[in-house]
């Protein structure tokens, strides 16, 4: 009755009659969002795990989906939690937050002998590699789970969890691990045979940074025993043995699937130059009230510096420092608003003024570390891809490469180079600046590309682009190596932790939402895929995981699509 009355009444008020075009667009967007959330709830289905357990955390899944590297997560006792709480600076966390923070801190390796010192040293010695979060984490036991056996991994107490490599068939494992201040590049066979790639008498530290599809070719860096030594790259081959790269070829970043091409970070630097370069990002280290900042200029001997700092106010203030007197408070009188930091001219003027006030020159405004990104072939011939370029991603099958170039007008710009095609900027979502692209993944064939920031992402394949729903946690998104499946996590109603698994078929654009893993219920959750996207891992860094096989019987017609 009411619907008939409404359609015939001349007094009915329609949104089109009272809203502007902008208001009407906002209303329709809100209605679409509400519909999306309703669809999410009705389309959620429970995947049946083929394996679910804790307190282990899945660190790596092989391309064929047959091998898992698991790290044991030890429970947080009252004693360890109290020790963490007493060492915290603020002590204001809620009890459940303190417990979660304690668990995360222990998982990261707080107090692990030798590990934090190593992380601090390598952050300075490896300016191109350690800047991507490749820090060592605690590894108090774990195992390599294969279809027919389980290989214990308990001979080291920390490892680089971001640089772990399985061969295509899951039969070779390469990683960087150590204990008590040592660090080794390791290769482990499916039978459990462990091999140090660099002899103890040749280097104090070594690490794995790249591997081909078969596990026959491995790249990494080593640090000789000399007190003045700096890292130097190497290639290890199963038949040809060890080759130390020229001094300027420092960090192999990627190796093609066939082992015939390597991407290498190249630069020439001694310890003093690396230390000064590191200071640019570390200062001001102990300035009262500072929540962060950086240096505009540092003297060549490292005894004078000028820079900026920010805190709780709406202003960025200057600072001047020297080794004799410390920080000079008068420099705080030089400041600009947070909004003006986006103005290149005003930002440059602030830096120049502070530089002169500190008695420094324009030459002191540069770290003088000149980096290059190289392609190196199997014969050792190199080609410079970019001067001042930073490695971001590589397609091991097609040999497509993503790196970060520097633009004076825009800052860091991600670039994409495919064989036989012109170099282009990495596609980005609408409303996201190129320099703000922090999520970038490239498929092994170079045809699919995921790009975005924490709030907004798109996946590009060929000429098609698909926007990822805003509600999906961007930092959990992962793409299958073949570029056809994308998964991530979707929040609960309170937006406090992941609640659903978001699944996207890139070719068709179909989306589905699956109920997440009951064995992983914390806030540090993420997902993993094998090469084809039909093996899925849902894991919690604080312990617990589920393993699924997503065949057509699960994701086929019997599962309602989210339209």
């Amino acid at each position: 009755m009411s619907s008939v009355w409404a359609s015939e009444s001349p007094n009915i008020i329609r949104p089109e009659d009272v809203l502007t075009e902008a208001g009407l667009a906002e209303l329709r967007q809100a209605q679409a969002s509400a519909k999306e959330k309703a669809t999410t709830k009705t389309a959620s289905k429970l995947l049946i795990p083929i394996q679910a357990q804790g307190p282990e955390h899945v660190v790596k899944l092989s391309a064929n989906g047959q091998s898992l590297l698991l790290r044991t997560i030890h429970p947080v006792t009252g004693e360890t939690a109290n020790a963490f709480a007493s060492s915290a600076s603020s002590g204001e966390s809620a009890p459940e937050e303190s417990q979660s923070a304690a668990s995360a801190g222990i998982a990261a390796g707080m107090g692990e002998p030798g590990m934090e010192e190593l992380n601090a040293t390598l952050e300075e010695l490896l300016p191109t590699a350690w800047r991507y979060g490749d820090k060592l984490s605690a590894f108090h036991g774990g195992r390599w789970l294969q279809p027919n056996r389980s290989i214990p991994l308990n001979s080291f107490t920390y490892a680089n969890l971001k640089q772990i490599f399985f061969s295509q068939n899951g039969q070779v494992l390469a990683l960087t691990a150590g204990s008590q201040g040592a660090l080794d590049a390791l290769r482990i066979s499916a039978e459990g045979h462990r091999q140090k790639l660099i002899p103890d008498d040749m280097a104090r530290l070594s690490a794995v940074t790249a591997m081909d599809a078969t596990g026959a070719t491995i790249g990494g860096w080593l640090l000789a025993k000399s007190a003045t030594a700096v890292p130097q790259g190497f290639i290890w081959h199963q038949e040809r043995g060890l080759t130390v790269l020229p001094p300027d070829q420092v960090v192999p970043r990627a190796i093609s699937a066939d082992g015939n091409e390597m991407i290498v970070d190249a630069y020439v630097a001694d310890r003093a130059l690396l230390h000064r370069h590191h200071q640019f990002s570390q200062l001001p280290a102990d300035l009262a009230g500072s929540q962060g900042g950086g240096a505009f200029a540092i003297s060549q001997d490292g005894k004078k510096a000028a820079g900026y700092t920010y805190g709780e106010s709406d202003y960025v203030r200057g600072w001047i420092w020297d080794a004799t007197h410390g920080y000079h408070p008068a420099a705080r009188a030089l400041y600009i608003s947070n909004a003006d930091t986006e103005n290149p001219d005003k930002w440059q003027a602030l830096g120049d003024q502070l530089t002169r006030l500190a008695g420094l020159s324009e030459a002191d405004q540069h770290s003088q570390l000149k980096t290059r990104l190289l392609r190196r072939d199997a014969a050792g011939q190199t080609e410079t891809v970019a001067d001042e370029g930073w490695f971001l991603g590589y397609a091991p099958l097609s040999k497509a490469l993503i790196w970060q170039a520097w633009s004076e007008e825009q800052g860091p710009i991600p670039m994409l180079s495919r064989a036989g095609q012109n170099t282009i900027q990495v596609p980005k979502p609408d409303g996201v600046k190129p320099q703000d692209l922090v999520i970038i993944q490239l498929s092994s064939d170079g045809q699919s590309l995921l790009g975005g920031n924490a709030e907004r992402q798109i996946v590009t394949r060929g000429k098609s682009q698909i926007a990822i729903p805003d509600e999906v946690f961007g930092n959990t998104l992962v793409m299958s190596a073949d570029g056809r499946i994308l998964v991530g996590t979707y929040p609960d109603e309170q937006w406090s932790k992941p609640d659903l698994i978001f699944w996207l078929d890139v070719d068709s654009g179909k989306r589905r939402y699956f109920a997440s893993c009951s064995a992983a219920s914390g806030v540090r959750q993420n997902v993993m895929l094998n090469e084809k996207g039909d093996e899925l891992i849902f894991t919690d860094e604080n312990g617990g995981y589920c393993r699924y096989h997503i065949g057509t019987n699960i994701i086929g017609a019997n599962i309602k699509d989210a339209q």
Side-chain angles (χ1 to χ4, degrees), residues 78-105:
E79 181 179 350
T80 54
N82 291 337
F84 175 85
S86 65
S87 66
S89 57
S90 65
E92 297 178 355
S93 299
E96 63 272 17
E97 292 173 335
S98 298
Q99 186 76 359
S100 176
S103 178

PDB file of all heavy atoms in Angstrom, residues 78-105:
ATOM      1  N   GLY A  78      54.243 -14.784  31.750  1.00  0.00           N
ATOM      2  CA  GLY A  78      54.101 -13.578  32.549  1.00  0.00           C
ATOM      3  C   GLY A  78      55.420 -12.899  32.795  1.00  0.00           C
ATOM      4  O   GLY A  78      55.541 -11.677  32.788  1.00  0.00           O
ATOM      5  N   GLU A  79      56.488 -13.698  32.974  1.00  0.00           N
ATOM      6  CA  GLU A  79      57.811 -13.139  33.247  1.00  0.00           C
ATOM      7  C   GLU A  79      58.344 -12.352  32.060  1.00  0.00           C
ATOM      8  O   GLU A  79      58.836 -11.237  32.203  1.00  0.00           O
ATOM      9  CB  GLU A  79      58.768 -14.273  33.605  1.00  0.00           C
ATOM     10  CG  GLU A  79      60.173 -13.794  33.932  1.00  0.00           C
ATOM     11  CD  GLU A  79      61.096 -14.949  34.296  1.00  0.00           C
ATOM     12  OE1 GLU A  79      60.586 -16.082  34.480  1.00  0.00           O
ATOM     13  OE2 GLU A  79      62.312 -14.716  34.397  1.00  0.00           O
ATOM     14  N   THR A  80      58.205 -12.942  30.838  1.00  0.00           N
ATOM     15  CA  THR A  80      58.727 -12.250  29.657  1.00  0.00           C
ATOM     16  C   THR A  80      57.886 -11.031  29.332  1.00  0.00           C
ATOM     17  O   THR A  80      58.410 -10.013  28.897  1.00  0.00           O
ATOM     18  CB  THR A  80      58.771 -13.194  28.451  1.00  0.00           C
ATOM     19  OG1 THR A  80      57.476 -13.776  28.265  1.00  0.00           O
ATOM     20  CG2 THR A  80      59.792 -14.279  28.643  1.00  0.00           C
ATOM     21  N   ALA A  81      56.569 -11.134  29.550  1.00  0.00           N
ATOM     22  CA  ALA A  81      55.718  -9.977  29.289  1.00  0.00           C
ATOM     23  C   ALA A  81      56.031  -8.835  30.246  1.00  0.00           C
ATOM     24  O   ALA A  81      56.077  -7.673  29.867  1.00  0.00           O
ATOM     25  CB  ALA A  81      54.241 -10.376  29.399  1.00  0.00           C
ATOM     26  N   ASN A  82      56.282  -9.181  31.527  1.00  0.00           N
ATOM     27  CA  ASN A  82      56.627  -8.151  32.496  1.00  0.00           C
ATOM     28  C   ASN A  82      57.971  -7.513  32.180  1.00  0.00           C
ATOM     29  O   ASN A  82      58.165  -6.309  32.351  1.00  0.00           O
ATOM     30  CB  ASN A  82      56.666  -8.748  33.907  1.00  0.00           C
ATOM     31  CG  ASN A  82      55.286  -9.129  34.401  1.00  0.00           C
ATOM     32  OD1 ASN A  82      54.294  -8.591  33.927  1.00  0.00           O
ATOM     33  ND2 ASN A  82      55.214 -10.059  35.350  1.00  0.00           N
ATOM     34  N   ALA A  83      58.911  -8.337  31.706  1.00  0.00           N
ATOM     35  CA  ALA A  83      60.217  -7.800  31.330  1.00  0.00           C
ATOM     36  C   ALA A  83      60.085  -6.823  30.185  1.00  0.00           C
ATOM     37  O   ALA A  83      60.738  -5.777  30.158  1.00  0.00           O
ATOM     38  CB  ALA A  83      61.162  -8.945  30.951  1.00  0.00           C
ATOM     39  N   PHE A  84      59.214  -7.165  29.235  1.00  0.00           N
ATOM     40  CA  PHE A  84      58.990  -6.249  28.106  1.00  0.00           C
ATOM     41  C   PHE A  84      58.357  -4.954  28.602  1.00  0.00           C
ATOM     42  O   PHE A  84      58.765  -3.859  28.219  1.00  0.00           O
ATOM     43  CB  PHE A  84      58.101  -6.910  27.065  1.00  0.00           C
ATOM     44  CG  PHE A  84      57.726  -5.996  25.928  1.00  0.00           C
ATOM     45  CD1 PHE A  84      58.569  -5.848  24.844  1.00  0.00           C
ATOM     46  CD2 PHE A  84      56.542  -5.267  25.969  1.00  0.00           C
ATOM     47  CE1 PHE A  84      58.240  -4.993  23.806  1.00  0.00           C
ATOM     48  CE2 PHE A  84      56.212  -4.416  24.945  1.00  0.00           C
ATOM     49  CZ  PHE A  84      57.060  -4.281  23.858  1.00  0.00           C
ATOM     50  N   ALA A  85      57.347  -5.095  29.469  1.00  0.00           N
ATOM     51  CA  ALA A  85      56.630  -3.919  29.934  1.00  0.00           C
ATOM     52  C   ALA A  85      57.551  -2.971  30.700  1.00  0.00           C
ATOM     53  O   ALA A  85      57.472  -1.757  30.576  1.00  0.00           O
ATOM     54  CB  ALA A  85      55.448  -4.340  30.810  1.00  0.00           C
ATOM     55  N   SER A  86      58.476  -3.541  31.513  1.00  0.00           N
ATOM     56  CA  SER A  86      59.369  -2.695  32.297  1.00  0.00           C
ATOM     57  C   SER A  86      60.372  -1.964  31.437  1.00  0.00           C
ATOM     58  O   SER A  86      60.882  -0.916  31.819  1.00  0.00           O
ATOM     59  CB  SER A  86      60.103  -3.543  33.342  1.00  0.00           C
ATOM     60  OG  SER A  86      60.949  -4.483  32.704  1.00  0.00           O
ATOM     61  N   SER A  87      60.664  -2.525  30.241  1.00  0.00           N
ATOM     62  CA  SER A  87      61.633  -1.880  29.357  1.00  0.00           C
ATOM     63  C   SER A  87      60.974  -0.863  28.437  1.00  0.00           C
ATOM     64  O   SER A  87      61.665  -0.101  27.770  1.00  0.00           O
ATOM     65  CB  SER A  87      62.364  -2.929  28.507  1.00  0.00           C
ATOM     66  OG  SER A  87      61.462  -3.555  27.627  1.00  0.00           O
ATOM     67  N   ALA A  88      59.626  -0.868  28.359  1.00  0.00           N
ATOM     68  CA  ALA A  88      58.933   0.081  27.483  1.00  0.00           C
ATOM     69  C   ALA A  88      59.075   1.494  28.030  1.00  0.00           C
ATOM     70  O   ALA A  88      59.102   1.711  29.238  1.00  0.00           O
ATOM     71  CB  ALA A  88      57.459  -0.299  27.372  1.00  0.00           C
ATOM     72  N   SER A  89      59.146   2.455  27.173  1.00  0.00           N
ATOM     73  CA  SER A  89      59.386   3.832  27.616  1.00  0.00           C
ATOM     74  C   SER A  89      58.139   4.479  28.187  1.00  0.00           C
ATOM     75  O   SER A  89      58.216   5.254  29.134  1.00  0.00           O
ATOM     76  CB  SER A  89      59.925   4.664  26.451  1.00  0.00           C
ATOM     77  OG  SER A  89      59.022   4.622  25.364  1.00  0.00           O
ATOM     78  N   SER A  90      56.969   4.196  27.623  1.00  0.00           N
ATOM     79  CA  SER A  90      55.772   4.903  28.058  1.00  0.00           C
ATOM     80  C   SER A  90      55.054   4.197  29.189  1.00  0.00           C
ATOM     81  O   SER A  90      54.596   4.818  30.132  1.00  0.00           O
ATOM     82  CB  SER A  90      54.807   5.071  26.874  1.00  0.00           C
ATOM     83  OG  SER A  90      54.339   3.823  26.449  1.00  0.00           O
ATOM     84  N   GLY A  91      54.878   2.905  29.072  1.00  0.00           N
ATOM     85  CA  GLY A  91      54.172   2.131  30.069  1.00  0.00           C
ATOM     86  C   GLY A  91      52.705   2.433  30.139  1.00  0.00           C
ATOM     87  O   GLY A  91      52.064   2.163  31.151  1.00  0.00           O
ATOM     88  N   GLU A  92      52.095   2.990  29.083  1.00  0.00           N
ATOM     89  CA  GLU A  92      50.696   3.397  29.122  1.00  0.00           C
ATOM     90  C   GLU A  92      49.783   2.483  28.339  1.00  0.00           C
ATOM     91  O   GLU A  92      48.612   2.754  28.201  1.00  0.00           O
ATOM     92  CB  GLU A  92      50.569   4.827  28.569  1.00  0.00           C
ATOM     93  CG  GLU A  92      51.319   5.858  29.412  1.00  0.00           C
ATOM     94  CD  GLU A  92      51.230   7.245  28.834  1.00  0.00           C
ATOM     95  OE1 GLU A  92      50.669   7.373  27.730  1.00  0.00           O
ATOM     96  OE2 GLU A  92      51.704   8.192  29.469  1.00  0.00           O
ATOM     97  N   SER A  93      50.298   1.390  27.793  1.00  0.00           N
ATOM     98  CA  SER A  93      49.461   0.513  26.987  1.00  0.00           C
ATOM     99  C   SER A  93      48.450  -0.211  27.857  1.00  0.00           C
ATOM    100  O   SER A  93      48.695  -0.505  29.025  1.00  0.00           O
ATOM    101  CB  SER A  93      50.325  -0.525  26.261  1.00  0.00           C
ATOM    102  OG  SER A  93      51.235   0.110  25.400  1.00  0.00           O
ATOM    103  N   ALA A  94      47.288  -0.501  27.250  1.00  0.00           N
ATOM    104  CA  ALA A  94      46.304  -1.324  27.921  1.00  0.00           C
ATOM    105  C   ALA A  94      46.862  -2.724  28.086  1.00  0.00           C
ATOM    106  O   ALA A  94      47.744  -3.140  27.338  1.00  0.00           O
ATOM    107  CB  ALA A  94      45.008  -1.356  27.107  1.00  0.00           C
ATOM    108  N   PRO A  95      46.385  -3.507  29.092  1.00  0.00           N
ATOM    109  CA  PRO A  95      46.952  -4.838  29.334  1.00  0.00           C
ATOM    110  C   PRO A  95      46.996  -5.710  28.095  1.00  0.00           C
ATOM    111  O   PRO A  95      48.015  -6.333  27.811  1.00  0.00           O
ATOM    112  CB  PRO A  95      46.012  -5.405  30.412  1.00  0.00           C
ATOM    113  CG  PRO A  95      45.460  -4.201  31.112  1.00  0.00           C
ATOM    114  CD  PRO A  95      45.360  -3.139  30.059  1.00  0.00           C
ATOM    115  N   GLU A  96      45.881  -5.779  27.322  1.00  0.00           N
ATOM    116  CA  GLU A  96      45.893  -6.641  26.149  1.00  0.00           C
ATOM    117  C   GLU A  96      46.843  -6.115  25.082  1.00  0.00           C
ATOM    118  O   GLU A  96      47.468  -6.876  24.357  1.00  0.00           O
ATOM    119  CB  GLU A  96      44.479  -6.797  25.571  1.00  0.00           C
ATOM    120  CG  GLU A  96      43.841  -5.506  25.070  1.00  0.00           C
ATOM    121  CD  GLU A  96      43.091  -4.780  26.180  1.00  0.00           C
ATOM    122  OE1 GLU A  96      43.333  -5.088  27.370  1.00  0.00           O
ATOM    123  OE2 GLU A  96      42.254  -3.907  25.866  1.00  0.00           O
ATOM    124  N   GLU A  97      46.999  -4.777  24.997  1.00  0.00           N
ATOM    125  CA  GLU A  97      47.934  -4.215  24.035  1.00  0.00           C
ATOM    126  C   GLU A  97      49.368  -4.517  24.429  1.00  0.00           C
ATOM    127  O   GLU A  97      50.220  -4.788  23.597  1.00  0.00           O
ATOM    128  CB  GLU A  97      47.712  -2.706  23.930  1.00  0.00           C
ATOM    129  CG  GLU A  97      46.375  -2.336  23.286  1.00  0.00           C
ATOM    130  CD  GLU A  97      46.120  -0.850  23.344  1.00  0.00           C
ATOM    131  OE1 GLU A  97      46.680  -0.186  24.240  1.00  0.00           O
ATOM    132  OE2 GLU A  97      45.352  -0.352  22.514  1.00  0.00           O
ATOM    133  N   SER A  98      49.650  -4.456  25.757  1.00  0.00           N
ATOM    134  CA  SER A  98      50.996  -4.763  26.218  1.00  0.00           C
ATOM    135  C   SER A  98      51.354  -6.207  25.918  1.00  0.00           C
ATOM    136  O   SER A  98      52.472  -6.518  25.517  1.00  0.00           O
ATOM    137  CB  SER A  98      51.098  -4.500  27.727  1.00  0.00           C
ATOM    138  OG  SER A  98      50.864  -3.140  28.017  1.00  0.00           O
ATOM    139  N   GLN A  99      50.392  -7.107  26.142  1.00  0.00           N
ATOM    140  CA  GLN A  99      50.642  -8.517  25.879  1.00  0.00           C
ATOM    141  C   GLN A  99      50.917  -8.744  24.401  1.00  0.00           C
ATOM    142  O   GLN A  99      51.838  -9.468  24.037  1.00  0.00           O
ATOM    143  CB  GLN A  99      49.428  -9.353  26.320  1.00  0.00           C
ATOM    144  CG  GLN A  99      49.633 -10.856  26.232  1.00  0.00           C
ATOM    145  CD  GLN A  99      50.488 -11.367  27.370  1.00  0.00           C
ATOM    146  OE1 GLN A  99      50.938 -10.599  28.209  1.00  0.00           O
ATOM    147  NE2 GLN A  99      50.742 -12.656  27.382  1.00  0.00           N
ATOM    148  N   SER A 100      50.108  -8.094  23.524  1.00  0.00           N
ATOM    149  CA  SER A 100      50.329  -8.247  22.094  1.00  0.00           C
ATOM    150  C   SER A 100      51.662  -7.659  21.682  1.00  0.00           C
ATOM    151  O   SER A 100      52.395  -8.241  20.882  1.00  0.00           O
ATOM    152  CB  SER A 100      49.194  -7.551  21.326  1.00  0.00           C
ATOM    153  OG  SER A 100      49.419  -7.601  19.950  1.00  0.00           O
ATOM    154  N   ALA A 101      52.001  -6.495  22.248  1.00  0.00           N
ATOM    155  CA  ALA A 101      53.277  -5.870  21.919  1.00  0.00           C
ATOM    156  C   ALA A 101      54.436  -6.720  22.403  1.00  0.00           C
ATOM    157  O   ALA A 101      55.462  -6.846  21.730  1.00  0.00           O
ATOM    158  CB  ALA A 101      53.343  -4.477  22.544  1.00  0.00           C
ATOM    159  N   ALA A 102      54.285  -7.317  23.572  1.00  0.00           N
ATOM    160  CA  ALA A 102      55.337  -8.189  24.082  1.00  0.00           C
ATOM    161  C   ALA A 102      55.547  -9.374  23.170  1.00  0.00           C
ATOM    162  O   ALA A 102      56.678  -9.759  22.858  1.00  0.00           O
ATOM    163  CB  ALA A 102      54.980  -8.664  25.489  1.00  0.00           C
ATOM    164  N   SER A 103      54.443  -9.979  22.726  1.00  0.00           N
ATOM    165  CA  SER A 103      54.542 -11.122  21.817  1.00  0.00           C
ATOM    166  C   SER A 103      55.214 -10.730  20.523  1.00  0.00           C
ATOM    167  O   SER A 103      56.085 -11.437  20.016  1.00  0.00           O
ATOM    168  CB  SER A 103      53.142 -11.677  21.532  1.00  0.00           C
ATOM    169  OG  SER A 103      53.205 -12.746  20.626  1.00  0.00           O
ATOM    170  N   ALA A 104      54.826  -9.570  19.971  1.00  0.00           N
ATOM    171  CA  ALA A 104      55.435  -9.115  18.727  1.00  0.00           C
ATOM    172  C   ALA A 104      56.911  -8.817  18.919  1.00  0.00           C
ATOM    173  O   ALA A 104      57.741  -9.130  18.063  1.00  0.00           O
ATOM    174  CB  ALA A 104      54.704  -7.859  18.223  1.00  0.00           C
ATOM    175  N   GLY A 105      57.263  -8.226  20.072  1.00  0.00           N
ATOM    176  CA  GLY A 105      58.655  -7.909  20.324  1.00  0.00           C
ATOM    177  C   GLY A 105      59.513  -9.142  20.453  1.00  0.00           C
ATOM    178  O   GLY A 105      60.630  -9.207  19.936  1.00  0.00           O
TER     179      GLY A 105
END
